[in-house]
Amino acid sequence: MKLLVFAWILGVCWAQYNPNTKPGTTSIVHLFEWRWADIAEECERFLAPNGFGGVQISPPQESIRLTNPWMPWWQRYQTISYNLCSRSGTEKELRDMVTRCNNVGVRIYVDAVINHMCGASGGAGTHSSCGTYFNADTKDFPSVPYSAWDFNDGKCKSPSGDIENYHDIYQVRDCRLVSLLDLALEKDYVRGRIAEYMNSLIDIGVAGFRVDGCKHMWPGDLRVVFDKLKNLNTKWFAENTRPFIFQEVIDLGGEPITASEYFGLGRVTEFKNSAKLGTVFRKWDNEKMAYLKNWGEGWSLMSSDKAVVFIDNHDNQRGHGPGGASVLTFWDSRLYKMATGFMLAHPYGVTRVMSSFQWPRHIVNGKDENDWVGPPSYSDGSTKPVPINPDSTCGDGWVCEHRWRQIKNMVIFRNVVNGENFSYWWDNGSNQVAFGRGNKGFIVFNNDDWNMDVILLTGLPAGTYCDVISGQKEGGRCTGLQITVQGDGRARFQISNTAEDPFIAIHINAKL
Ligand code: AAO
């Protein structure tokens, strides 16, 4: 009995840190700006068969529609109501997606925009994704409903009403983030409406939430909201399963608000993972891969059981938010694949893979003038479907990094080695490194400017393995390199510094 109570307390206290993915699957993919209909298809035809655990979707609530600039991606971060029609589709399509993804064991996480409504200059009218009337001047959002009473403006002490100084924690929480009308989360009424919104999604079957802009909300207010959340829908989840919570808090150090203030509520996005791995793989600031031997907490990242990690996100891949120029994206595909491979092979954190769309990048004085451009769309602004090419890549401007062989295969690698220790580290003191995961997988990188030819202890059982970077195991043979592990667990790795992908990964499910 005592044990049961203990287990129950543990379950209640720790549950929101668990992504609730199907056993044997570990990673999340952010299908940024995808339509619900396409995500449903992707779950069935690609994500489930390839061991993806879940999908972070773009904000599903009603948002503003802007014409200047033309339908920017970021209009979805300007809430108008909690109605569920958006650029990605109708409520019916959303429900169909959640059902179909859950039915094949792929979870859905909602990007929840609860800190604010639209920008103060959003005007009045029905230019919203469900066509609902609102008035940003009078702060009237009748279809929630919110009125002027429900906003923080009285509390904010900055001259402009906007956040002007990230070193003033009161401004950061009580003033407007880039002029977005800041909801008063201290009010029971507001907390209740937000919890109702999130609960409506839990009823539909989502597994959790990426909570937008948590730095701008007081942890105590968030606590009350999260405590009001229901357990997950028992159609797909065990009884008493708590929603997975991961909070967007940008903490690169140097500000008074830290990620650790939010650890009690759920996981937190670890932006240092993105900024620092970018710096290491680019070899900036005299960084070397050899230093990654103690990657994770050893680099003053938050504790692994609190972290959600990624190489880039929808903001920092285009210069919004933090991280700056070091962040690797699909535009730097060779280094990007390596860095993503490293992240997925390493035991640190819950991993999220980015899946982007292309835009006409136009960098002037370090700033991308086209950082606002929305997803591939028709002239009326509706988002285009994601067409799949015969070689399994995507067309029409959808990048689909998650479908790149190297990345897809490393998502599988992570599932295969899940729970195994970080082991058999080797480095050359420079940018050639290797490590294993228990006796189940091994990965080797050459990011130096010279060739690599080494014999390393892999810990794997003797046999012939298919490298899952240059190819994979298909029909009993390797489509890329073959690696032979000897009886003593050693294998020879030769990696040219000019190889298309200068890294090799093998695991026990890719053994011939
Ligand atoms: C748009 C327009 C605005 C307009 C507004 C309202 O661009 O000009 O005023 O509409 O009409 C997205 C877009 C915004 C867009 C917004 C609404 O990115 O451009 O505004 O939708 O449509 C902060 C927040 C963080 C936020 C990030 C972008 O803390 O929460 O800014 N991310 C989320 C979403 C994001 C979304 C929103 C929030 C809003 O992911 O897509 O915005 O819903 C420091 C702070 C960070 C802060 C950055 C802002 O970062 O630490 O907390 O992020 O500044 O730049 C170094 C430092 C690093 C620092 C960084 C940048 O790297 O180490 O700490 O420099 O200075």
Side-chain angles (χ1 to χ4, degrees):
M1 182 61 193
K2 248 189 207 152
L3 211 86
L4 262 178
V5 171
F6 181 69
W8 178 81
I9 291 174
L10 248 171
V12 169
C13 296
W14 292 100
Q16 74 273 28
Y17 303 94
N18 182 339
N20 303 315
T21 49
K22 194 180 102 179
T25 67
T26 53
S27 297
I28 296 172
V29 56
H30 182 192
L31 296 179
F32 179 47
E33 285 281 7
W34 280 44
R35 295 156 67 247
W36 309 149
D38 291 318
I39 296 177
E41 296 268 314
E42 190 70 350
C43 284
E44 294 169 345
R45 72 188 163 200
F46 187 83
L47 301 177
N50 288 296
F52 283 78
V55 182
Q56 178 184 319
I57 61 169
S58 282
Q61 89 295 347
E62 179 168 26
S63 68
I64 202 167
R65 274 175 72 103
L66 296 169
T67 45
N68 184 24
W70 174 251
M71 299 282 277
W73 62 267
W74 42 254
Q75 65 186 5
R76 297 182 73 171
Y77 290 89
Q78 302 199 27
T79 303
I80 295 299
S81 82
Y82 301 125
N83 299 332
L84 294 172
C85 22
S86 67
R87 197 176 188 175
S88 289
T90 61
E91 174 171 348
K92 189 161 171 275
E93 288 163 324
L94 175 81
R95 287 175 180 273
D96 180 59
M97 166 189 72
V98 174
T99 300
R100 286 166 62 189
C101 290
N102 271 330
N103 284 348
V104 293
V106 178
R107 303 313 182 199
I108 299 292
Y109 309 97
V110 167
D111 193 345
V113 183
I114 60 175
N115 170 65
H116 50 259
M117 301 299 278
C118 66
S121 60
T126 54
H127 47 295
S128 51
S129 56
C130 315
T132 293
Y133 174 83
F134 67 98
N135 186 337
D137 304 323
T138 56
K139 291 178 252 179
D140 200 18
F141 296 88
S143 91
V144 179
Y146 286 138
S147 68
W149 299 105
D150 299 318
F151 292 85
N152 264 335
D153 298 290
K155 243 181 141 184
C156 166
K157 299 283 181 293
S158 81
S160 63
D162 285 350
I163 299 165
E164 295 170 7
N165 176 7
Y166 272 91
H167 290 272
D168 177 342
I169 66 166
Y170 298 96
Q171 273 192 25
V172 175
R173 267 73 175 253
D174 298 337
C175 297
R176 298 171 176 180
L177 166 63
V178 294
S179 101
L180 298 160
L181 297 174
D182 202 52
L183 284 168
L185 263 82
E186 67 182 19
K187 290 189 63 177
D188 276 343
Y189 175 72
V190 173
R191 294 164 169 178
R193 297 304 304 169
I194 293 172
E196 243 173 74
Y197 164 55
M198 295 171 81
N199 278 331
S200 72
L201 292 158
I202 290 175
D203 287 340
I204 291 174
V206 308
F209 302 91
R210 176 248 185 209
V211 185
D212 183 66
C214 287
K215 184 188 278 185
H216 308 286
M217 295 179 273
W218 294 97
D221 292 341
L222 282 174
R223 158 77 64 198
V224 179
V225 172
F226 296 163
D227 281 351
K228 289 181 194 287
L229 298 183
K230 299 181 178 177
N231 294 326
L232 298 186
N233 188 325
T234 52
K235 182 159 182 215
W236 295 288
F237 302 92
E239 294 215 17
N240 301 319
T241 306
R242 296 300 294 157
F244 179 47
I245 298 287
F246 64 109
Q247 307 162 92
E248 188 225 13
V249 180
I250 299 169
D251 178 4
L252 291 172
E255 282 178 27
I257 297 177
T258 62
S260 62
E261 292 175 47
Y262 295 83
F263 289 168
L265 301 169
R267 287 194 184 243
V268 180
T269 50
E270 178 49 284
F271 278 83
K272 288 177 186 163
N273 187 84
S274 171
K276 291 191 173 175
L277 284 183
T279 309
V280 173
F281 279 84
R282 289 181 190 277
K283 297 187 258 187
W284 287 0
D285 303 344
N286 295 316
E287 292 290 7
K288 295 180 169 66
M289 284 193 76
Y291 301 154
L292 294 175
K293 184 175 186 176
N294 64 341
W295 179 244
E297 292 88 345
W299 277 60
S300 78
L301 269 59
M302 63 184 70
S303 109
S304 176
D305 61 352
K306 297 294 183 293
V308 169
V309 289
F310 43 92
I311 297 301
D312 61 334
N313 81 344
H314 70 281
D315 283 328
N316 67 15
Q317 68 171 197
R318 46 174 56 66
H320 286 232
S326 80
V327 174
L328 289 167
T329 70
F330 67 87
W331 298 105
D332 321 281
S333 59
R334 192 167 182 259
L335 288 179
Y336 187 70
K337 285 178 276 184
M338 283 171 98
T340 304
F342 180 87
M343 171 183 84
L344 289 168
H346 197 282
Y348 183 79
V350 165
T351 45
R352 179 181 65 191
V353 169
M354 182 67 200
S355 189
S356 318
F357 58 79
Q358 298 234 21
W359 69 96
R361 213 158 54 139
H362 181 53
I363 298 180
V364 181
N365 298 327
K367 185 188 177 304
D368 185 351
E369 300 285 327
N370 285 335
D371 64 348
W372 58 271
V373 172
S377 43
Y378 298 108
S379 55
D380 66 354
S382 60
T383 303
K384 287 188 180 172
V386 180
I388 307 298
N389 300 321
D391 67 356
S392 167
T393 59
C394 300
D396 261 356
W398 298 97
V399 183
C400 290
E401 296 91 315
H402 69 288
R403 280 178 165 260
W404 295 1
R405 181 189 64 242
Q406 300 85 341
I407 294 179
K408 173 211 52 160
N409 282 345
M410 286 308 299
V411 166
I412 295 171
F413 180 107
R414 188 177 192 79
N415 293 341
V416 173
V417 304
N418 188 24
E420 300 293 321
N421 286 333
F422 180 73
S423 53
Y424 305 107
W425 174 268
W426 172 88
D427 67 70
N428 70 341
S430 184
N431 290 291
Q432 300 180 352
V433 308
F435 63 92
R437 292 292 303 279
N439 304 103
K440 292 197 167 165
F442 196 75
I443 189 163
V444 188
F445 295 87
N446 179 11
N447 198 27
D448 272 328
D449 300 327
W450 57 89
N451 291 341
M452 173 178 194
D453 185 356
V454 288
I455 293 174
L456 300 175
L457 182 61
T458 67
L460 294 183
T464 304
Y465 292 79
C466 300
D467 170 29
V468 298
I469 303 303
S470 58
Q472 56 201 8
K473 185 175 144 188
E474 252 172 58
R477 58 176 274 272
C478 299
T479 60
L481 290 175
Q482 269 179 220
I483 299 291
T484 308
V485 175
Q486 308 295 338
D488 61 359
R490 285 172 208 278
R492 180 173 181 188
F493 295 93
Q494 294 169 285
I495 306 179
S496 160
N497 61 313
T498 59
E500 184 186 343
D501 295 304
F503 65 120
I504 290 177
I506 54 178
H507 59 73
I508 50 163
N509 288 5
K511 186 169 181 255
L512 289 186

